[in-house]
Amino acid sequence: MVRYKVLVSIAVFAASTVGASSPAFPGVEQTAEEAINAKLATGLPEVLDRSGAASISVAHIESGRIVAMQAAGLSAPGQAATTQTRYNVASLTKPVSAEVILRLVAEGRFSLDQPMSSTWLDPDLSDDSRHERLTPRLALNHQTGFPNWRSTGGLRFGSDPGGEAGYSGEGYEYVAKFIGHLTGAGIDHHAQRLVFKPLGMTATTYTAGSEPPAAVASSRSNDTWTPPVTRETPSAADDLVTNVGDYATFLISLMRRDALTPGLIAERARVQADQLNQMCDGIPASICPESAGPALGWTLFVIGGVPYYMHTGSDTDGFSLAYWTPSTGSGTVILTNSENGNRAVLPVLDLIGANPEFVTLLREQASR
């Protein structure tokens, strides 16, 4: 599958907008929640028409709780998508895996800066002493020096560990293998124990398990439907299956700072590898954030002193996005089953009236 080799793929978002909908009952004042739900209910079909995506499922969070969930379109031929529809969310797997790893650190199993070499060494790297520098922190921040995915010739360093961030699914796979060897259990086991079960995320799995393929949205590209992509063995980097409500519940847990120590909370609140120059290249200084870069599983933007955490998931069979703002308790999850689902992102954020400074930055990136 095609993987985007940039930390965030906001540069491909379409900059179209959708008009605000009329109140569901003219003359009757709506609550803010009712207004958002009404706008999504009437606006999402238009978003699908303009973007060409097959279906879309959206959850919006305000003040630390889900205030709106809506879906539109088809999850398979002749099958309407609902907010219960499960999607392959591609690289939105990484923030979940990162949280599992941070909660293991909070349990005292290992530290972020513990060398992984004494516990796990990929045989491909046995003749390269740079493997001794690899730590969980570098894996979560895309600083292992690995490419996104290993080539047919095996895993190799593309640059020195600890240097400039370069998006790498292999880094997440490496730290997952480290955890497996250290604890005797895989990332999926720890995810169930530390995240999914405590939060009631019953629709979220690293593998398809016993669920029939029909339980996961198929993908549509150019009017051609293909079966959903799922895994038989878990990947810490890719192909998590979830629905919009589960992932929004996960974001709320992050906002509450569940199960983390003060030190880990502080670590996630800072940019770990500066990418401000890359982010601001070619955009007006007035829009440029104060800081930007990876932050232990997320990309962190600080705009006007407000932190915004974002990640995308993009494969040939779908596009997804999640972002959250801890200072306001707000956030949004957008899941689609088409590669061009990226074109739906800005129109959806316009519909819900998402944080304007953040949306302005995304729109400027899209226009480059």
Side-chain angles (χ1 to χ4, degrees):
M1 296 178 195
V2 176
R3 312 287 191 202
Y4 285 87
K5 297 184 180 180
V6 292
L7 196 58
V8 288
S9 47
I10 56 178
V12 296
F13 292 168
S16 61
T17 60
V18 174
S21 62
S22 300
F25 301 99
V28 178
E29 185 177 353
Q30 294 176 305
T31 67
E33 293 182 24
E34 289 171 339
I36 293 174
N37 274 289
K39 287 180 179 180
L40 288 173
T42 58
L44 287 183
E46 184 180 349
V47 170
L48 291 180
D49 286 343
R50 292 189 180 187
S51 68
S55 74
I56 187 167
S57 190
V58 178
H60 183 60
I61 302 163
E62 290 289 351
S63 300
R65 64 187 185 90
I66 299 171
V67 298
M69 283 205 300
Q70 296 287 335
L74 298 176
S75 62
Q79 182 173 325
T82 73
T83 56
Q84 298 302 310
T85 299
R86 301 167 76 216
Y87 292 80
N88 174 343
V89 297
S91 287
L92 277 189
T93 307
K94 293 181 179 72
V96 174
S97 297
E99 183 64 16
V100 173
I101 291 164
L102 291 177
R103 293 188 184 192
L104 285 169
V105 172
E107 286 188 333
R109 299 294 191 96
F110 52 90
S111 73
L112 278 176
D113 298 310
Q114 178 175 326
M116 295 188 282
S117 57
S118 61
T119 301
W120 163 246
L121 169 61
D122 189 297
D124 289 347
L125 303 178
S126 59
D127 294 331
D128 193 326
S129 63
R130 288 179 290 181
H131 73 262
E132 297 175 357
R133 306 185 210 170
L134 295 172
T135 66
R137 183 194 300 273
L138 296 184
L140 297 187
N141 293 325
H142 299 282
Q143 291 180 285
T144 57
F146 295 150
N148 193 12
W149 299 108
R150 68 181 66 205
S151 67
T152 54
L155 183 62
R156 299 287 185 271
F157 286 107
S159 59
D160 290 341
E164 184 176 351
Y167 194 75
S168 176
E170 287 293 346
Y172 275 71
E173 301 290 62
Y174 203 95
V175 69
K177 289 186 173 68
F178 161 74
I179 288 168
H181 282 79
L182 181 70
T183 68
I187 190 77
D188 54 337
H189 169 83
H190 291 299
Q192 284 290 343
R193 181 177 66 87
L194 295 170
V195 179
F196 301 161
K197 188 174 181 179
L199 298 179
M201 294 171 61
T202 57
T204 305
T205 56
Y206 278 86
T207 60
S210 60
E211 294 287 343
V216 183
S218 296
S219 174
R220 191 185 72 188
S221 177
N222 297 323
D223 295 325
T224 299
W225 287 92
T226 56
V229 174
T230 57
R231 292 202 177 229
E232 295 182 0
T233 57
S235 166
D238 199 19
D239 295 332
L240 186 82
V241 174
T242 189
N243 66 22
V244 72
D246 265 20
Y247 212 93
T249 297
F250 170 64
L251 296 189
I252 292 169
S253 177
L254 302 186
M255 296 180 198
R256 292 195 307 251
R257 303 172 176 179
D258 289 351
L260 296 187
T261 64
L264 289 172
I265 293 168
E267 284 295 321
R268 190 168 58 193
R270 70 181 184 88
V271 169
Q272 302 271 325
D274 178 50
Q275 291 192 317
L276 185 62
N277 288 339
Q278 295 162 258
M279 179 59 59
C280 292
D281 184 26
I283 68 175
S286 59
I287 297 174
C288 184
E290 290 101 81
S291 59
L296 298 176
W298 295 87
T299 299
L300 172 60
F301 309 92
V302 179
I303 307 172
V306 177
Y308 299 83
Y309 294 82
M310 189 184 82
H311 209 290
T312 61
S314 181
D315 278 339
T316 55
D317 54 346
F319 185 90
S320 303
L321 174 141
Y323 91 92
W324 54 288
T325 308
S327 59
T328 61
S330 62
T332 303
V333 182
I334 302 171
L335 308 181
T336 77
N337 58 338
S338 298
E339 185 178 24
N340 56 3
N342 62 306
R343 299 174 183 171
V345 169
L346 283 172
V348 168
L349 296 181
D350 287 334
L351 281 172
I352 63 178
N355 309 66
E357 296 84 3
F358 179 65
V359 175
T360 297
L361 174 62
L362 298 188
R363 179 162 282 109
E364 185 64 34
Q365 287 281 336
S367 68
R368 289 195 299 171

